[in-house]
Amino acid sequence: MSTLYRIDSSVQGDKSVTREITDELERAWSAALPEGVVARRDLLSTPLSPAVWTHALAARGTEEPTQEQQSAAGLAAELASEVLAADALVIGAPLYNWGTSAHLKCWIDLLWTDPRFAPRTYPLAGKPIALVAARGGGASAGAPQEGWDHSVPYLLRTFGTDVFGGDVTLIETELTLADLSPAMAHLREQATDLRARSHELARETGEALAKLAA
Amino acid sequence: MSTLYRIDSSVQGDKSVTREITDELERAWSAALPEGVVARRDLLSTPLSPAVWTHALAARGTEEPTQEQQSAAGLAAELASEVLAADALVIGAPLYNWGTSAHLKCWIDLLWTDPRFAPRTYPLAGKPIALVAARGGGASAGAPQEGWDHSVPYLLRTFGTDVFGGDVTLIETELTLADLSPAMAHLREQATDLRARSHELARETGEALAKLAA
């Protein structure tokens, strides 16, 4: 059975832009592949933590893990199995305070502790991955904060050919705070255009991932 | 009373390289300023979490915060007060899986929720900050993984002039796994040199911070 695995990490719940776009991608995927399955993990409703990662790491370094360490290693194995079993991934990755979502970093760190994600094994080689990134301000070429997005480059490194080996499509939107911030009023039209383009790319990518999984 | 505030985030405990170097800096600071105080926060023994950050964020968006949200906002205020009260900071920042330590990112995210860390207020303007970064492999110019350190650029952005406004000294070491990894045996001499240089810079920086705080 073909599976799309969807990870959300936004803390904005219903107001989340990344969820809006992963929704769009999921709809397109399901429409193109009605017999497919969508598996989900929402890091807002089922959060991970750096402490759990620490326990999972410790479990690997001992022959007599504590119950806490065993349970953390079990969770890491579950996360790794979910990812490996999927035909395609879609990852919602908002930028928070110019860095990677801590929810998402905990998830990635836990994956790394699983032996199936050992360094230089490219565990996601060839797997299609849609990375849905969003940021409140602007960090693209020419913006006053050009280069301040320190999350997307890290995520592309991790999920792309360098580390996990996936085949990543980046769906990126910015200026998501333009509608709320009076200081960004002059950017609203541009923000609307960017959002519409991300929706379009999400639809196209959802269809393309469905075709690959069919 | 002059205070050095020390944050550690390594999960390696006694084997941590960043702790070894923050220790060195702390010793130099204390020797130069015996009447000074060292305040500490160790994120391994008192971990934060993305869930606490989510609650602290939610506390700011409501007039009737839940007890959980109040408690998270209280913790954020405590962290912010500790940082603001210090004359100088030293931050231990290991690279984990090519990204920022999740422990450290949770700490930074919590600081951002405090009103005293509002965007564009440069709350640490002029405050001396020693950033002690370490990584197991190599990511400097010429290394096969050149540019793969996605933590240091983010931390310099955050603590430096762009965001929090501090006066940052970077103390950076790499190849810390050379002694443990047979594949890195040829890099051991270089690793030893780098480590020695970091210790020297930590001593100089500790003394310089003490002079500024005296």
Side-chain angles (χ1 to χ4, degrees):
Chain A
M1 193 134 53
S2 299
T3 305
L4 173 69
Y5 185 62
R6 170 180 172 168
I7 285 276
D8 286 295
S9 64
S10 166
V11 298
Q12 298 295 338
D14 290 347
K15 293 178 201 150
S16 158
V17 173
T18 53
R19 276 171 221 272
E20 182 188 302
I21 295 168
T22 50
D23 276 348
E24 181 85 54
L25 188 147
E26 179 187 331
R27 272 194 303 271
W29 193 86
S30 296
L33 197 65
E35 69 278 22
V37 171
V38 179
R40 292 179 185 82
R41 189 166 279 267
D42 187 325
L43 300 177
L44 180 62
S45 54
T46 56
L48 305 170
S49 77
V52 170
W53 171 60
T54 309
H55 293 313
L57 271 182
R60 298 204 50 198
T62 177
E63 291 192 1
E64 293 184 12
T66 64
Q67 191 147 1
E68 212 166 27
Q69 290 165 351
Q70 277 178 40
S71 143
L75 175 58
E78 190 184 327
L79 297 170
S81 296
E82 287 171 0
V83 169
L84 293 168
D87 295 278
L89 309 183
V90 54
I91 302 171
L95 181 71
Y96 287 130
N97 303 327
W98 307 109
T100 303
S101 145
H103 287 86
L104 211 53
K105 182 57 161 61
C106 290
W107 176 64
I108 294 167
D109 284 340
L110 277 164
L111 292 177
W112 273 84
T113 67
D114 187 277
R116 291 167 290 173
F117 279 76
R120 285 173 292 281
T121 61
Y122 309 100
L124 307 183
K127 202 182 284 287
I129 300 173
L131 180 62
V132 175
R135 49 185 174 261
S140 296
Q145 275 92 26
E146 177 177 347
W148 288 34
D149 185 327
H150 293 282
S151 176
V152 165
Y154 161 73
L155 294 170
L156 290 174
R157 179 86 61 199
T158 300
F159 289 96
T161 50
D162 283 333
V163 180
F164 290 166
D167 182 8
V168 180
T169 301
L170 176 62
I171 302 173
E172 196 173 26
T173 193
E174 62 174 21
L175 306 175
T176 64
L177 292 175
D179 280 343
L180 300 171
S181 162
M184 293 173 75
H186 63 294
L187 298 166
R188 281 179 194 161
E189 201 174 328
Q190 192 186 342
T192 304
D193 286 352
L194 286 172
R195 186 89 65 101
R197 263 193 274 162
S198 290
H199 275 275
E200 199 182 320
L201 185 52
R203 277 191 299 276
E204 288 169 12
T205 306
E207 282 167 23
L209 297 190
K211 265 188 207 162
L212 285 170
Chain B
M1 195 132 55
S2 298
T3 304
L4 172 69
Y5 186 62
R6 170 180 171 167
I7 285 277
D8 286 295
S9 65
S10 167
V11 298
Q12 299 293 339
D14 290 349
K15 293 179 202 150
S16 157
V17 173
T18 53
R19 276 172 223 270
E20 182 188 300
I21 294 167
T22 50
D23 277 348
E24 181 84 55
L25 189 147
E26 179 187 331
R27 272 195 302 273
W29 193 87
S30 295
L33 197 66
E35 70 278 23
V37 172
V38 180
R40 292 180 186 80
R41 187 165 283 266
D42 187 325
L43 300 176
L44 180 63
S45 54
T46 56
L48 305 170
S49 76
V52 169
W53 170 60
T54 309
H55 293 313
L57 271 182
R60 298 203 49 198
T62 175
E63 291 192 1
E64 292 184 12
T66 64
Q67 192 147 0
E68 213 165 27
Q69 290 165 350
Q70 276 179 40
S71 145
L75 175 59
E78 192 184 326
L79 297 170
S81 295
E82 287 171 0
V83 169
L84 293 168
D87 295 279
L89 309 182
V90 55
I91 302 171
L95 181 71
Y96 287 129
N97 303 328
W98 307 110
T100 303
S101 144
H103 286 86
L104 211 52
K105 182 57 159 61
C106 289
W107 175 63
I108 293 167
D109 284 340
L110 277 165
L111 291 178
W112 273 85
T113 66
D114 187 278
R116 291 167 291 174
F117 279 75
R120 285 173 291 281
T121 62
Y122 310 100
L124 307 184
K127 202 182 286 286
I129 300 174
L131 181 63
V132 175
R135 50 186 173 259
S140 296
Q145 275 92 23
E146 177 176 347
W148 288 34
D149 184 327
H150 293 281
S151 176
V152 165
Y154 161 73
L155 294 171
L156 290 175
R157 180 84 63 197
T158 300
F159 289 97
T161 49
D162 283 335
V163 179
F164 289 167
D167 182 7
V168 180
T169 301
L170 176 62
I171 303 173
E172 196 173 22
T173 194
E174 64 175 20
L175 307 175
T176 65
L177 292 174
D179 281 343
L180 300 171
S181 162
M184 293 173 76
H186 62 294
L187 298 168
R188 282 179 195 162
E189 202 174 328
Q190 192 186 342
T192 305
D193 287 351
L194 285 172
R195 186 89 68 99
R197 263 193 275 162
S198 290
H199 274 276
E200 199 182 319
L201 185 52
R203 277 192 299 276
E204 288 169 12
T205 306
E207 283 167 21
L209 298 189
K211 265 187 206 160
L212 285 168

